[in-house]
Amino acid sequence: MTHPNTASHRVVGSVYSTGQSAVTNPLPKATAAETAQVLAEVEFPTIAKGPIVRRPKVVAAVERLGLEARAVTRMQTMAEKYGRGPLMLAVPGQKMATVLDPDHVHRILEESPEPFATAETLKRHALKHFEPKVSLISEGSERARRRDANEKLLDHNHPIHRMAEQFMPAVREEAAALLEEVADNDDAAGQLNYDAYFNAWFRLVNRVVLGDSYRDDMELVELMETQRKRGNFAFLRPVNTEDRAEILERISQAVDKAEPGSLAAFMKQIEAAGDTETSRDENVQQVPQWLFAFDPAGMASYRGLALLAAHQDRLDAARYQIAEEAQAEAPMLPLLRATVLESLRLWATTPMILRETTREVEFEHGVMPAGTTVLIFAPFFHRDEKNLDFAHRFAPEVWDHQRTREEWPLVPFSGGPGICPGRHLVLLLTSNFMAEIVRQRSIELTSHELEPGNLPALLDNFSLEFQLSPR
Ligand code: HEM
């Protein structure tokens, strides 16, 4: 695994400090025409698909037109011309740069939030619609304590969340209910589509986050969706403060109810123990991010089922692991976890990781100005066939290799101090939910044909369908 632009020297912030400024030593800059191409081919499809909530018709069109592959090719062209970058884009009235070098991805993520703030302007405008105090768009000491609250509540350093055993009954029951519903479908017995999967997944999410009595509370899911649709338009739409207050009020009520086995109960417990520096309002404001982010987790696991259906040997191996861990209270299921990670590598649900510089930052080839929006386009690194022999195939084994991950930016959950604190919880719930399905059913992908050595640049989850039959 080599990168043409990766010199043997790894960058450490101050090593390159030469006292130059963004004026005396500017970074390379794309021409206006190149900038327009990057915006049209890389930025636009990401925004059009819906950064906060996906627009199914656009996702289908992007899949059909192969726009995701074009975006990667465009970035490769830029890297060939400009080397390590980062490359400043010629966007009128805005400072924007795109990252071309794998070492720079590591550096920027490691050096977040200072000088690479997670609270980037566009993200702030998008998320304020439903969670203005979420850690991701907070700064300074506020960010530190809100991030800390997320880490505690989501048990972010532990592959098995401390409440995992309490979550497992909900996982099994909701998967069983889904299988029953699919089997009883009069129109198409055994046919699994995304709507049914999404609804079952969110019944589980509601139970885990808010409590069992919220199982069928699709009103909150819909309220969230409406606000997320506003978030797609960031600052172009005014905030609906009434709906936002309603969401937060409902979450706060769930924390008061503290139903056993829910994260809401865990929050109340931590508050009572004085184990967090955050107020109730701040804690509650982290939860919309969880509800929002469980949506891509559903997509990733559903696409993971497609990977398994197209790779029967891996499916057999996954079933073997499921059987091996049948007695575990909260199974680890490494292959299913790696399947979800692969689904996210191949079809990143956060394709664009955004940062904003809080001051001038020196790179080897120039200085990035303060206030620059930094774009890390994950698929450029995840699907780089020039440097990764596994770029377009299902390779769950790469997630066992610490070195591969350290050398090359495989960053579906970001990295560094801003890494997704929910990642282990996502992998725990998705892997066990998928396990219940593949343990009890054989699965056949009926809507798409996946070519194992050449997986598509985007897989439209909304139109994926399976035929499930008893094993
Ligand atoms: C497939 C599912 C998910 C993916 C791919 C994902 C990915 C990410 C990424 C890439 C970031 C960093 C974003 C940025 O820097 O702008 C992030 C942040 C975050 N994620 Fe996730 N996430 C997922 C699900 C979840 C879930 C289910 C939760 C909570 C239960 C969660 C909680 C968070 C929080 C609180 C942050 C903000 C962290 C901070 O402020 O530093 N995520 N996630």
Side-chain angles (χ1 to χ4, degrees):
M1 210 169 45
T2 53
H3 188 276
N5 303 317
T6 306
S8 54
H9 48 277
R10 188 166 281 270
V11 186
V12 182
S14 57
V15 167
Y16 289 93
S17 180
T18 58
Q20 304 246 39
S21 75
V23 177
T24 57
N25 185 21
L27 281 168
K29 190 168 184 176
T31 64
E34 287 165 345
T35 299
Q37 284 165 330
V38 171
L39 293 182
E41 293 178 10
V42 183
E43 271 274 281
F44 176 73
T46 304
I47 292 173
K49 276 188 294 172
I52 305 294
V53 65
R54 295 288 184 272
R55 303 178 175 106
K57 283 186 185 150
V58 183
V59 174
V62 170
E63 182 196 54
R64 201 175 52 248
L65 300 171
L67 298 187
E68 207 88 356
R70 258 173 64 186
V72 172
T73 309
R74 173 59 52 202
M75 291 296 295
Q76 287 170 338
T77 310
M78 292 294 109
E80 271 159 29
K81 176 163 177 194
Y82 289 101
R84 300 189 71 184
L87 178 65
M88 297 299 294
L89 299 175
V91 183
Q94 226 187 327
K95 284 174 269 186
M96 201 181 267
T98 186
V99 180
L100 303 176
D101 184 276
D103 274 354
H104 291 163
V105 176
H106 290 303
R107 175 186 174 186
I108 290 163
L109 295 180
E110 283 303 328
E111 294 180 14
S112 299
E114 184 59 46
F116 298 101
T118 60
E120 181 274 334
T121 304
L122 196 64
K123 208 188 305 180
R124 265 204 317 260
H125 284 293
L127 298 184
K128 73 180 180 202
H129 287 276
F130 49 94
E131 48 185 27
K133 293 185 191 166
V134 73
S135 57
L136 201 50
I137 53 169
S138 306
E139 290 166 294
S141 60
E142 283 185 340
R143 166 168 169 80
R145 62 168 195 266
R146 292 169 187 171
R147 167 83 202 182
D148 184 60
N150 272 298
E151 290 187 359
K152 286 205 173 96
L153 289 159
L154 302 172
D155 211 359
H156 98 122
N157 263 334
H158 298 115
I160 305 276
H161 193 283
R162 69 192 60 202
M163 294 179 68
E165 286 179 27
Q166 297 180 63
F167 300 151
M168 285 307 122
V171 171
R172 292 189 193 109
E173 286 159 22
E174 296 312 331
L178 171 65
L179 294 183
E180 209 171 303
E181 182 188 321
V182 166
D184 291 349
N185 181 347
D186 287 340
D187 297 330
Q191 192 188 83
L192 174 63
N193 61 31
Y194 192 65
D195 273 355
Y197 189 85
F198 175 90
N199 288 333
W201 175 247
F202 262 89
R203 288 194 286 266
L204 167 61
V205 170
N206 278 347
R207 289 177 69 177
V208 166
V209 177
L210 303 168
D212 286 347
S213 74
Y214 289 84
R215 176 184 189 263
D216 297 308
D217 187 354
M218 287 297 156
E219 260 180 48
L220 182 56
V221 176
E222 279 159 26
L223 258 177
M224 274 293 299
E225 195 161 319
T226 312
Q227 294 302 87
R228 288 170 61 200
K229 280 184 181 156
R230 290 175 165 268
N232 269 352
F233 289 96
F235 45 78
L236 298 178
R237 296 278 290 273
V239 174
N240 181 332
T241 47
E242 248 173 60
D243 280 2
R244 185 173 75 188
E246 163 102 29
I247 291 172
L248 298 174
E249 177 53 29
R250 280 175 184 234
I251 295 170
S252 191
Q253 282 169 10
V255 179
D256 282 334
K257 276 168 105 177
E259 292 182 16
S262 66
L263 289 170
F266 190 37
M267 186 178 280
K268 193 169 179 189
Q269 185 190 325
I270 281 184
E271 285 176 2
D275 222 3
T276 155
E277 288 173 33
T278 35
S279 65
R280 161 62 66 87
D281 175 44
E282 285 176 297
N283 287 339
V284 161
Q285 290 234 12
Q286 309 312 306
V287 181
Q289 174 72 21
W290 307 353
L291 295 171
F292 147 39
F294 269 122
D295 183 3
M299 291 176 196
S301 55
Y302 195 62
R303 289 174 174 140
L305 289 178
L307 286 172
L308 292 172
H311 298 81
Q312 287 292 325
D313 53 334
R314 304 293 187 153
L315 180 54
D316 290 343
R319 286 188 175 128
Y320 184 77
Q321 281 188 352
I322 296 167
E324 269 191 329
E325 289 195 83
Q327 304 308 320
E329 297 285 359
M332 184 67 194
L333 305 172
L335 185 49
L336 287 176
R337 283 181 184 233
T339 300
V340 176
L341 286 164
E342 272 298 85
S343 162
L344 288 166
R345 177 183 68 82
L346 291 159
W347 305 297
T349 55
T350 312
M352 201 64 91
I353 303 176
L354 302 175
R355 292 289 182 266
E356 192 167 302
T357 48
T358 56
R359 55 170 167 80
E360 287 197 339
V361 186
E362 191 156 3
F363 288 85
E364 301 85 334
H365 299 302
V367 178
M368 187 180 280
T372 302
T373 288
V374 185
L375 314 174
I376 298 174
F377 184 56
F380 169 51
F381 298 97
H382 292 184
R383 302 296 296 266
D384 180 358
E385 73 281 350
K386 297 188 175 166
N387 288 286
L388 304 178
D389 58 10
F390 56 85
H392 303 314
R393 64 178 170 81
F394 176 39
E397 63 281 359
V398 301
W399 296 96
D400 291 337
H401 300 157
Q402 181 76 6
R403 234 184 105 223
T404 314
R405 283 182 285 143
E406 276 171 8
E407 276 181 11
W408 197 260
L410 302 180
V411 287
F413 286 111
S414 181
I419 196 168
C420 173
R423 67 200 179 285
H424 288 308
L425 181 60
V426 166
L427 296 177
L428 172 82
L429 295 176
T430 50
S431 61
N432 278 282
F433 192 67
M434 291 161 77
E436 286 305 302
I437 296 172
V438 301
R439 184 175 66 78
Q440 300 178 54
R441 297 286 188 273
S442 60
I443 56 171
E444 187 196 343
L445 181 60
T446 49
S447 58
H448 289 62
E449 262 183 44
L450 292 186
E451 202 185 316
N454 187 24
L455 294 169
L458 179 65
L459 186 62
D460 171 17
N461 55 291
F462 298 106
S463 65
L464 271 186
E465 283 182 1
F466 299 88
Q467 185 64 33
L468 306 187
S469 14
R471 291 183 67 218

